Amino acid sequence: MNDLILVLNCGSSSIKFALFDAAAQPLPRTPLWNGKVDGITGPRPTFGETGVAPSPVALDAAQPYHAALAHIRERVRARLGSRADMQYRIAAVAHRVVHGGAKYSAPVRIDAAVLADLKAYIPLAPLHQPFALEAIESLLASRPDLPQVACFDTAFHHTLPDVEKMLPLPWSAWERGLRRYGFHGLSYAYMAVALAERHGDAARGRAIVAHLGSGASLCGMRGLESVSTTMGFSALDGLMMGTRCGALDPGAVLYLMEIEKLTLEQVGHVLYHESGLLGISGTSSDPRDLLAVEGGDERARAALALYVRRIVRECGALAAALGGLDMLAFTAGIGEHNADIRARVCAGLAFLGVELDAAANAAHAPVISTPGSRVRVAVEPTNEEWIVARNAACIAGLAAG
Ligand SMILES: Nc1ncnc2c1ncn2[C@@H]1O[C@H](COP(=O)(O)OP(=O)(O)O)[C@@H](O)[C@H]1O
Ligand SMILES: CC(=O)OP(=O)(O)O
Ligand SMILES: [Mg+2]
């Protein structure tokens, strides 16, 4: 009987899953089988899996995440059922959990007490935490014997100095645990491994990793550890995103509530779901759609300009925190695939010595800067699922559980 680790990665616009062979040493980076439901809250959700191109999938519009999870569960069941000859069984399920709060800075085996702790963080990551926890809870109920492990987006940032963690609120807020956590840490943990392998000392120096997906953040690393990051207390901070505002003057929130009389719930909806690229363009949260129409669409143009400006500004801030810049690495859906956005960001960073090789950028090559560029610019596909599986496999007794 071969033991498998099933990884579930609940993002804001997608749920990704992957099956890894738990016994393989070292754990291969390519899973035995993987797939994702993409565009969950958009008009055209799709499902794709290893060897099968994405195609439209119908999701219950009232509960799209719930429906997407059910679809994945069904596909996994069908797939394992059809491979009876292979004698595979799922020995553990490992989850990307976005928020681990101050308590969890390492992966943890999940039980009822851990689940209760993680539920307390739902208000800090309402787009992500409930869906990972929904999957965990239903498995705890139906398969209490099955080990489950939570791996946290916040954990990689435990190396942040206090000056990066602190919010300029009254001191008692810090004592109550209101602080900047940082997110996308599983992606940054993978990038620390992959960039060091591919780029050696350049990656170990002063590096910025730009995780540009549906959610987006930057991480300033020195010695492959997080020293500064743009997402903070919640997944709303920092860069402008597909539907999230990013860093915002808190006075604007007060104004929306006090003068324009939006309720707390309405403001939350605006900031998480109706802002960012979608909010400004009025048409799409996906830069591909906006790039296709920007010639004749002023709002698409404005959305892209602000999106790029925020990345450039925050890169400048992180370069200051790092005391200079040796490497800039792009990853996640947009970072890996959108050469146009990368080119615009790099043009804005010419003052730091960034010089783009246009042909390498168009080809999504691993190095997209010129040989003379003072900053090496890289494109590296992230692999959060492998980090999650590797962490889960390291938890003692898991494969035997
Ligand atoms: N082949 C592609 N070409 C250009 N952009 C892409 C491609 N694939 C994904 N993207 C972009 O990546 C975004 C989603 O990124 P992803 O990292 O998968 O997000 P999340 O994990 O938050 O769901 C989409 O909004 C889309 O703009
Ligand atoms: C934390 C976060 O924003 O994650 P994602 O990019 O997967 O939405
Ligand atoms: Mg993601």
Side-chain angles (χ1 to χ4, degrees), residues 76-152:
V76 170
R77 215 174 273 142
R79 176 78 179 201
L80 290 182
S82 72
R83 300 289 294 270
D85 55 315
M86 302 292 284
Q87 298 291 301
Y88 280 126
R89 65 154 195 162
I90 293 178
V93 182
H95 304 263
R96 171 188 179 216
V97 175
V98 163
H99 218 303
K103 186 164 176 181
Y104 297 102
S105 58
V108 64
R109 178 96 169 244
I110 301 167
D111 58 19
V114 171
L115 180 64
D117 282 342
L118 301 182
K119 279 188 177 175
Y121 305 133
I122 286 177
L124 305 187
L127 287 191
H128 303 83
Q129 198 88 343
F131 310 109
L133 298 191
E134 178 186 324
I136 290 168
E137 193 161 24
S138 78
L139 273 170
L140 265 183
S142 64
R143 291 285 312 276
D145 55 307
L146 188 62
Q148 294 194 72
V149 175
C151 302
F152 301 101

Side-chain angles (χ1 to χ4, degrees), residues 36-345:
K36 65 175 171 176
V37 180
D38 218 349
I40 290 179
T41 51
R44 303 178 297 272
T46 58
F47 176 78
E49 58 188 306
T50 307
V52 184
S55 60
V57 62
L59 302 177
D60 174 3
Q63 289 184 299
Y65 288 97
H66 180 82
L69 267 174
H71 187 76
I72 288 171
R73 206 172 297 136
E74 196 41 52
R75 289 300 308 147
V76 170
R77 215 174 273 142
R79 176 78 179 201
L80 290 182
S82 72
R83 300 289 294 270
D85 55 315
M86 302 292 284
Q87 298 291 301
Y88 280 126
R89 65 154 195 162
I90 293 178
V93 182
H95 304 263
R96 171 188 179 216
V97 175
V98 163
H99 218 303
K103 186 164 176 181
Y104 297 102
S105 58
V108 64
R109 178 96 169 244
I110 301 167
D111 58 19
V114 171
L115 180 64
D117 282 342
L118 301 182
K119 279 188 177 175
Y121 305 133
I122 286 177
L124 305 187
L127 287 191
H128 303 83
Q129 198 88 343
F131 310 109
L133 298 191
E134 178 186 324
I136 290 168
E137 193 161 24
S138 78
L139 273 170
L140 265 183
S142 64
R143 291 285 312 276
D145 55 307
L146 188 62
Q148 294 194 72
V149 175
C151 302
F152 301 101
D153 246 20
T154 42
F156 185 74
H157 301 291
H158 76 272
T159 52
L160 288 174
D162 279 357
V163 70
E164 288 280 341
K165 288 182 185 160
M166 212 171 271
L167 292 163
L169 289 169
W171 178 254
S172 60
W174 174 247
E175 290 179 325
R176 292 199 307 278
L178 264 91
R179 42 159 283 198
R180 301 185 71 247
Y181 290 98
F183 297 87
H184 295 127
L186 298 165
S187 174
Y188 294 132
Y190 178 78
M191 294 297 280
V193 173
L195 293 175
E197 279 173 1
R198 202 190 287 276
H199 304 283
D201 285 346
R204 290 189 182 85
R206 300 159 299 181
I208 293 177
V209 178
H211 178 108
L212 306 179
S214 190
S217 71
L218 305 177
C219 181
M221 293 185 198
R222 201 184 293 117
L224 304 172
E225 289 186 345
S226 173
V227 297
S228 187
T229 192
T230 58
M231 261 188 189
F233 172 69
S234 74
L236 271 183
D237 198 9
L239 303 181
M240 172 175 155
M241 299 169 236
T243 66
R244 282 171 260 170
C245 55
L248 185 70
D249 179 347
V253 180
L254 298 179
Y255 182 90
L256 288 173
M257 296 186 76
E258 189 187 344
I259 307 298
E260 299 198 347
K261 304 292 179 209
L262 267 66
T263 64
L264 188 60
E265 200 186 353
Q266 287 169 330
V267 169
H269 194 77
V270 169
L271 303 185
Y272 275 104
H273 297 286
E274 295 180 344
S275 298
L277 290 168
L278 176 65
I280 293 183
S281 69
T283 49
S284 176
S285 60
D286 189 328
R288 280 176 293 191
D289 297 337
L290 303 180
L291 287 162
V293 299
E294 68 175 334
D297 183 333
E298 194 184 329
R299 282 175 60 183
R301 216 159 42 239
L304 289 166
L306 186 50
Y307 181 77
V308 170
R309 170 63 68 100
R310 288 294 171 101
I311 299 171
V312 169
R313 254 172 57 162
E314 293 293 329
C315 280
L318 290 197
L322 290 167
L325 192 62
D326 303 306
M327 160 158 268
L328 168 65
F330 289 95
T331 195
I334 296 163
E336 290 165 28
H337 301 292
N338 201 318
D340 229 313
I341 295 292
R342 289 196 302 255
R344 292 177 195 201
V345 170

Side-chain angles (χ1 to χ4, degrees), residues 9 11 14 16 96 184 211 384:
N9 174 355
S14 65
K16 298 171 179 142
R96 171 188 179 216
H184 295 127
H211 178 108
E384 293 160 311

